[in-house]
Amino acid sequence: MTITTHVAPRKLLIGGGSLAKLPALLAELGLARPLVVTDPWMVGSGTVDRLLAPLAAAGVPSKVFSDTVPDPTDTVVDAGVVALREGQFDCLIGFGGGSPMDTAKAIAILAAARPGQRLRDFKVPASADRAALPVICVPTTAGTGSEATRFTIVTDTASDEKMLIAGLGALPLAAVVDYELTFSVPPRVTADTGIDSLAHALEAYVSARANSFSDLYAEAAMRLIAPNLRRAYAAPQDAAARAAMMEGATLAGLAFSNSSVALVHGMSRPIGAHFHVPHGLSNAMLLPAVTAFGLEAGLPRYAAAARVMGLAEAGTPDAAAGQALLRELEALNRELGVPSPRDHGIDAGRYDSLLPLMAEQALASGSPGNNPRVPQAEEIMALYRQVYAGGPVGA
Ligand SMILES: [Fe+2]
């Protein structure tokens, strides 16, 4: 018998201006002394003041830990635990893109660890179910969906591995999802994070772990993201497009948190870890080729996704709908300026020599095992080689 589980934050505030309600949300949850986890850009640009001002106005004392880095590392998480222990905090607020949110989650998990335990002790297949303090997430991109997931991704600096850490300890208690924070996100980041969201919804939908609950989220996410990604990229001030993308990103997070990601994410993490390619961009580099790889095995689901995304009429046969999906993913990459790994400047020799390790790390994450077509290491290496120079994918 298959048992389906469903997890979600206890409370989500979604909509323009919702950030102003953060103090009331904290009060409702009985929380009064947050440590705000963010990055130097959020502080330097003054963006963090949009979160700190309503807290200060409500008389909520807070401190800021702003040392998070893109692709969060275990060493930054260690420093965050030290900062946490230096004050009398009763919660963490992750403010920013996926990296600050994931750092806040990892700090909460590590702070609850036994003496001597390291963050790597919590990576999958372990289950990270305990957190020292509740985490509230406030995303500023649309996005990783981390505000709604039971996952955090942290790089092990000893091995350059992007560790997937999963469990209730990584599930935020609550989140505030305010699309007005995304108006200043530049087009490149809008594209990368938006394709990441689309990949979450699509992978959750085709995953072996898909279920009726995750399908609802995935379909709603694809319906919002598919017609609005190009609009948000081309017109950053388009409030309707930004709102749709933000809601879609959170829905996509709920989708994969209750299903899983699959081969795209499994292969994407090693590219990010070894070559410091932004997460959404490495997903985008892989999405068409990996979809082509699994298309036949997962055809009914990919075809259904194409229909949900408005790429095929209701009566279109699966084969044609699947082709429409592939062409759309290629068109998105072209129109949103997604480079191949080669055009991104990744050295061919180093890329080639790392392929066996990257394939091993992709498989170890467990994500490829949920793909409609489960690859062997050799097939993963072949896919890495195929995407290196870009170009059209067959099917
Ligand atoms: Fe992702």
Side-chain angles (χ1 to χ4, degrees):
M1 183 175 135
T2 305
I3 296 173
T4 300
T5 61
H6 180 266
V7 298
R10 191 181 294 174
K11 188 150 188 170
L12 296 171
L13 294 185
I14 302 164
S18 53
L19 185 52
K21 307 284 186 196
L22 177 63
L25 174 68
L26 292 178
E28 194 181 1
L29 297 168
L31 302 170
R33 298 183 309 279
L35 175 63
V36 177
V37 177
T38 188
D39 63 36
W41 189 89
M42 291 289 160
V43 173
S45 65
T47 310
V48 77
D49 296 332
R50 296 175 64 176
L51 178 129
L52 298 177
L55 291 180
V60 176
S62 63
K63 279 219 164 102
V64 174
F65 173 78
S66 63
D67 293 344
T68 72
V69 294
D71 301 327
T73 59
D74 50 1
T75 49
V76 169
V77 174
D78 289 340
V81 170
V82 170
L84 184 68
R85 287 180 176 152
E86 280 170 357
Q88 297 291 316
F89 303 105
D90 64 4
C91 63
L92 290 153
I93 297 178
F95 180 73
S99 298
M101 290 192 285
D102 278 7
T103 303
K105 293 175 172 193
I107 291 170
I109 289 167
L110 190 62
R114 292 194 306 274
Q117 276 189 309
R118 305 290 312 275
L119 202 54
R120 70 175 66 99
D121 297 324
F122 295 94
K123 73 174 182 179
V124 293
S127 194
D129 290 323
R130 291 184 59 229
L133 295 172
V135 175
I136 318 289
C137 282
V138 182
T140 59
T141 59
T144 61
S146 193
E147 67 277 7
T149 75
R150 58 185 174 87
F151 304 113
T152 175
I153 313 278
V154 179
T155 300
D156 183 343
T157 46
S159 65
D160 258 1
E161 180 191 1
K162 275 198 174 189
M163 302 181 289
L164 173 62
I165 294 165
L168 287 181
L171 183 70
L173 177 66
V176 176
V177 184
D178 187 342
Y179 70 83
E180 291 178 5
L181 289 165
T182 66
F183 284 130
S184 54
V185 176
R188 177 75 266 135
V189 179
T190 298
D192 294 348
T193 53
I195 295 176
D196 186 29
S197 299
L198 182 62
H200 293 156
L202 184 60
E203 293 213 284
Y205 200 59
V206 303
S207 165
R209 298 179 65 179
N211 57 76
S212 346
F213 292 90
S214 62
D215 283 355
L216 283 175
Y217 292 130
E219 288 177 3
M222 289 189 282
R223 238 175 243 122
L224 285 167
I225 295 166
N228 285 293
L229 180 49
R230 288 178 178 85
R231 281 175 60 191
Y233 176 75
Q237 301 304 313
D238 185 329
R242 290 294 198 181
M245 288 304 297
M246 197 67 159
E247 195 174 323
T250 301
L251 284 162
L254 287 163
F256 84 89
S257 190
N258 289 291
S259 170
S260 77
V261 286
L263 184 55
V264 175
H265 274 74
M267 290 180 61
S268 173
R269 291 183 208 108
I271 294 181
H274 295 289
F275 301 101
H276 301 289
V277 179
H279 172 69
L281 190 56
S282 51
N283 279 336
M285 290 168 172
L286 293 159
L287 189 52
V290 171
T291 301
F293 174 79
L295 189 62
E296 206 179 304
L299 188 58
R301 281 260 136 177
Y302 282 116
R307 294 185 196 103
V308 167
M309 290 168 67
L311 308 172
E313 300 286 332
T316 309
D318 282 1
Q323 286 303 313
L325 176 64
L326 262 193
R327 300 288 89 85
E328 167 68 357
L329 297 177
E330 290 186 314
L332 271 177
N333 276 7
R334 214 166 37 242
E335 292 169 38
L336 272 48
V338 173
S340 66
R342 182 190 67 190
D343 295 342
H344 191 65
I346 290 177
D347 177 72
R350 182 151 181 264
Y351 186 82
D352 219 52
S353 69
L354 279 169
L355 290 188
L357 177 62
M358 286 162 60
E360 182 192 320
Q361 291 177 335
L363 284 169
S365 75
S367 301
N370 295 314
N371 208 57
R373 180 178 168 193
V374 178
Q376 304 292 314
E378 291 71 26
E379 291 170 306
I380 290 180
M381 288 196 281
L383 279 167
Y384 276 133
R385 284 190 199 98
Q386 186 194 339
V387 300
Y388 179 71
V393 295

